[in-house]
Amino acid sequence: MSKTAEAQMHGIPSRERCPLAKGLESLSALVTSGEETPDPIPSTIQGNIPSWLNGSLLRNGPGKFEFGDDKYTHWFDGMAMMHRFHISEGKVTYSSRFLQSDSYTNNLEKNRIVVSEFGTLAMPDPCKNIFARFFSRFQIPKATDNANVNFVKYNGDYYVSTETNYMRRIDPQSLNTKEKVNWTDFIAVNSATAHPHYDQDGATYNMGNSHNKNGFFYNVIRVPPPEEMRSKEDSADLTGAKVICSIRAADPRKPSYYHSFVMSENYIVFIEQPIKLDLLKFMLYRIQGKSFHKVMKWEPKLNTVFHLVNRHTGKVSDVKYLAGPMFTLHQINAYEDNGYLVMDMCCGDDGDIIADFTLENLRRSSGEEMDEFYNALCRNLPRRYVLPLTIDDQTPLDQNLVYLEKCKATARKTHTGEIFMTHEELHSDELLQYGGLEFPQINYDKHNGRPYRYFYSCGFGHVISDSLLKMDVHTKELKVWRYPGLYPSEPVFVASPGATEEDDGVVLSVIITPRKEKSTFLLVLDAKTFTELGRAEVPVNIPTGTHGVFNAMG
């Protein structure tokens, strides 16, 4: 691709660069309530599950979309359903449970939706008199504990989490729900993301927010490794967690939405993107009868701001790093290289996409109706941004400061203490045939925060992922697993015992088969060749999920 064509491509929305889809099938079966399988059931094995692969793939996601006559509006609202594929000596069993959150049990008891979620507002109790119903609208609703996004680890324990101040501790073997954990009991934050990072020493880092009379703040959180915590009992314990850095929001009335953050070996980067939360509307949304996602607004006239933090000292860089408007949910990886911080992320050009994932949209009919919805969506693509780490008064103005070999990202000093960056497209045109990508994963244990070559992700030739991809970031070459009618989950990499090469291992993904009843299967791919080794089929239907982890301890 010529430099001129590449420069022009930066300004073209990703939806316009990807081929239009035609004749897409309905996804209703993928967003239909599932049923629990609390006792492990055996699977039918095809091919070969490596004998060295022992442990459990734990998955989370929305799994129940109605109570009585009440129905959720948005996919993110479904009650958390946890899944476990346990692998031992070439055999696989499956089990699942609904998270016994307060939200779930209260809704179940009342047989209606009584707790508001991201896209669904719980209505007042119809049994109350008209005055009680009226005044209940003026009460600020409590945050949900419907932790349906991810499995995470703190202090050696597994939790399920979402984006509120609540998590739930989980027994990773039985999937039993344990105690509810409130971040505010341990640290002065109002929430935390469902995508923490883990360093080589076992500490966990996350982002939360807080607000007071001095403004709205984004906070970097550190939870110590287990050996630094107090003597461990069988209870949730985040004692020792602390805020190591607070970043003031550019506009305290309209802070940015964020889903994750960037971490390298020595730095954390918080991305203040132009998806804004209107706090005034947030306070009034119950009175107005609007759900939470209605207070989010994409403001593409604003730049994206990258806040660079030394994660050892908590010091925020005086340099202001800027880029054009973009939207990101998930980091791929970040690392330092000869005085630069290289950040790879899945990015899009339209932050309104979050609000588009209503159940009404996802359940559109096959053909023209679904095609129209999908073709209007933003496609997320992998991008590389490079932050020069050594900036001072002598740094020249309006000159590209990125000298990394073969790197097309740029960074220019435009004012004192201000750097404006443009990204490198971290893919070839081949990726556009698969509709962009999301849910990126790497060999995390060995390469998180360090130089790397490969990542694995889902391709989005449909509204829900319909392929698995392996990307070589050195050559931008792709390997693909894709079959019509099969819908994979986020790929999870597991290294082979004693592996010395980055991609020596397997990739695990749960495949949903809406064209065939009760034939969900766990797919095992050779990570190096991206060819199928085996699959473990179980006679269940499960809804499409979000994130998960591999628990090597079983």
Side-chain angles (χ1 to χ4, degrees):
M1 183 182 297
S2 71
K3 290 185 177 181
T4 301
E6 184 179 24
Q8 290 174 342
M9 188 172 69
H10 284 290
I12 301 173
S14 57
R15 67 167 67 86
E16 296 179 18
R17 286 188 270 148
C18 294
L20 294 177
K22 188 175 182 180
L24 295 176
E25 63 184 316
S26 173
L27 298 174
S28 292
L30 280 70
V31 285
T32 299
S33 295
E35 296 181 357
E36 289 183 312
T37 308
D39 297 319
I41 59 173
S43 66
T44 301
I45 304 295
Q46 295 183 28
N48 175 57
I49 308 297
S51 60
W52 58 262
L53 183 62
N54 293 286
S56 295
L57 178 65
L58 303 174
R59 296 270 305 150
N60 196 2
K64 183 173 177 60
F65 301 100
E66 65 282 315
F67 287 92
D69 294 331
D70 289 358
K71 295 177 173 57
Y72 288 113
T73 301
H74 200 281
W75 178 51
F76 294 175
D77 299 341
M79 293 290 98
M81 190 177 192
M82 304 172 292
H83 310 267
R84 178 180 184 243
F85 287 85
H86 180 59
I87 309 165
S88 178
E89 298 179 352
K91 297 180 180 180
V92 179
T93 60
Y94 169 79
S95 58
S96 64
R97 287 183 181 270
F98 285 113
L99 176 69
Q100 299 299 301
S101 63
D102 291 347
S103 298
Y104 176 83
T105 56
N106 288 339
N107 292 340
L108 196 64
E109 179 184 351
K110 301 291 186 181
N111 196 33
R112 65 184 184 88
I113 295 172
V114 298
V115 180
S116 295
E117 299 290 341
F118 175 79
T120 305
L121 184 70
M123 301 308 293
D125 188 344
C127 295
K128 291 181 178 180
N129 64 42
I130 188 171
F131 298 104
R133 293 201 302 272
F134 174 76
F135 285 110
S136 69
R137 283 186 173 273
F138 291 86
Q139 299 172 0
I140 298 175
K142 294 181 179 179
T144 181
D145 66 337
N146 176 34
N148 65 359
V149 178
N150 204 0
F151 272 90
V152 298
K153 287 185 76 174
Y154 295 99
N155 193 19
D157 284 328
Y158 279 94
Y159 297 81
V160 287
S161 64
T162 181
E163 296 184 326
T164 70
N165 54 308
Y166 294 118
M167 299 188 296
R168 280 282 186 165
R169 195 163 69 102
I170 299 299
D171 182 320
Q173 276 77 42
S174 66
L175 298 182
N176 285 338
T177 302
K178 295 189 174 183
E179 65 268 43
K180 181 167 70 172
V181 179
N182 186 345
W183 276 98
T184 61
D185 291 339
F186 298 93
I187 195 169
V189 296
N190 299 319
S191 67
T193 81
H195 288 287
H197 277 292
Y198 311 95
D199 69 14
Q200 298 292 322
D201 299 324
T204 306
Y205 291 81
N206 209 332
M207 294 289 307
N209 61 60
S210 62
H211 54 85
N212 54 43
K213 63 180 181 180
N214 297 316
F216 189 100
F217 298 89
Y218 314 107
N219 301 303
V220 180
I221 305 164
R222 181 183 184 270
V223 179
E227 57 269 21
E228 292 183 28
M229 309 284 272
R230 68 187 184 191
S231 58
K232 184 147 177 55
E233 301 175 355
D234 186 26
S235 61
D237 184 7
L238 299 180
T239 301
K242 66 178 182 179
V243 171
I244 64 171
C245 174
S246 292
I247 302 165
R248 187 187 300 272
D251 184 345
R253 299 166 302 173
K254 292 185 177 181
S256 289
Y257 170 76
Y258 57 96
H259 185 73
S260 62
F261 62 100
V262 174
M263 189 172 90
S264 69
E265 193 167 3
N266 295 296
Y267 296 96
I268 282 173
V269 180
F270 171 70
I271 302 165
E272 195 170 14
Q273 57 190 349
I275 305 178
K276 298 297 182 177
L277 308 177
D278 189 318
L279 293 187
L280 178 60
K281 287 184 179 179
F282 176 71
M283 299 299 291
L284 297 176
Y285 84 110
R286 185 174 177 84
I287 301 171
Q288 297 172 342
K290 295 181 179 180
S291 55
F292 177 74
H293 80 290
K294 296 292 186 181
V295 308
M296 298 173 64
K297 185 178 180 182
W298 171 240
E299 298 191 3
K301 293 182 180 180
L302 299 177
N303 283 325
T304 305
V305 183
F306 298 80
H307 298 276
L308 179 68
V309 180
N310 184 311
R311 72 177 180 90
H312 305 297
T313 66
K315 185 180 186 307
V316 184
S317 173
D318 293 330
V319 179
K320 188 175 184 179
Y321 296 91
L322 302 172
M326 66 87 170
F327 157 68
T328 183
L329 285 174
H330 301 114
Q331 171 202 2
I332 302 170
N333 197 16
Y335 60 91
E336 295 145 47
D337 185 2
N338 291 312
Y340 298 97
L341 177 59
V342 179
M343 303 188 311
D344 297 343
M345 298 176 290
C346 294
C347 303
D349 303 309
D350 185 356
D352 282 334
I353 190 173
I354 295 178
D356 291 332
F357 276 71
T358 63
L359 289 169
E360 180 182 10
N361 280 334
L362 294 178
R363 290 169 176 166
R364 290 191 183 202
S365 300
S366 300
E368 184 176 342
E369 191 177 349
M370 181 60 80
D371 296 347
E372 180 182 16
F373 172 54
Y374 173 75
N375 290 329
L377 287 175
C378 165
R379 313 287 201 275
N380 281 10
L381 298 168
R383 294 177 180 172
R384 171 166 290 179
Y385 291 88
V386 177
L387 281 64
L389 296 173
T390 307
I391 302 295
D392 56 30
D393 292 341
Q394 306 305 313
T395 303
L397 289 173
D398 200 27
Q399 177 179 313
N400 183 18
L401 305 174
V402 179
Y403 303 112
L404 293 175
E405 185 178 359
K406 298 181 180 179
C407 182
K408 297 178 181 178
T410 70
R412 287 179 167 83
K413 184 177 178 182
T414 55
H415 298 89
T416 300
E418 186 171 295
I419 302 293
F420 192 88
M421 302 178 295
T422 65
H423 64 269
E424 174 183 354
E425 298 281 2
L426 204 62
H427 62 88
S428 67
D429 289 347
E430 182 185 5
L431 175 61
L432 303 179
Q433 303 300 315
Y434 300 97
L437 57 80
E438 257 295 351
F439 298 137
Q441 291 287 324
I442 62 169
N443 182 340
Y444 192 94
D445 290 344
K446 296 293 186 183
H447 290 273
N448 177 53
R450 295 188 164 117
Y452 76 115
R453 181 165 183 173
Y454 305 107
F455 73 89
Y456 313 91
S457 65
C458 288
F460 280 77
H462 203 323
V463 178
I464 299 296
S465 62
D466 67 343
S467 62
L468 293 169
L469 308 175
K470 177 186 179 180
M471 172 74 78
D472 183 331
V473 298
H474 290 182
T475 65
K476 300 182 181 178
E477 293 177 336
L478 276 180
K479 286 185 170 64
V480 182
W481 184 94
R482 186 186 198 185
Y483 291 93
L486 300 184
Y487 294 88
S489 72
E490 169 190 65
V492 174
F493 175 84
V494 184
S496 301
T500 57
E501 295 182 285
E502 181 182 341
D503 59 349
D504 183 359
V506 297
V507 169
L508 307 179
S509 178
V510 178
I511 312 298
I512 303 175
T513 60
R515 296 182 185 178
K516 186 178 178 183
E517 276 286 303
K518 295 188 175 182
S519 58
T520 300
F521 63 91
L522 175 67
L523 174 69
V524 183
L525 297 177
D526 182 303
K528 189 177 292 293
T529 63
F530 225 53
T531 56
E532 183 172 335
L533 295 175
R535 58 178 68 178
E537 184 175 306
V538 290
V540 295
N541 293 327
I542 68 173
T544 190
T546 46
H547 300 286
V549 297
F550 184 75
N551 174 21
M553 302 302 292

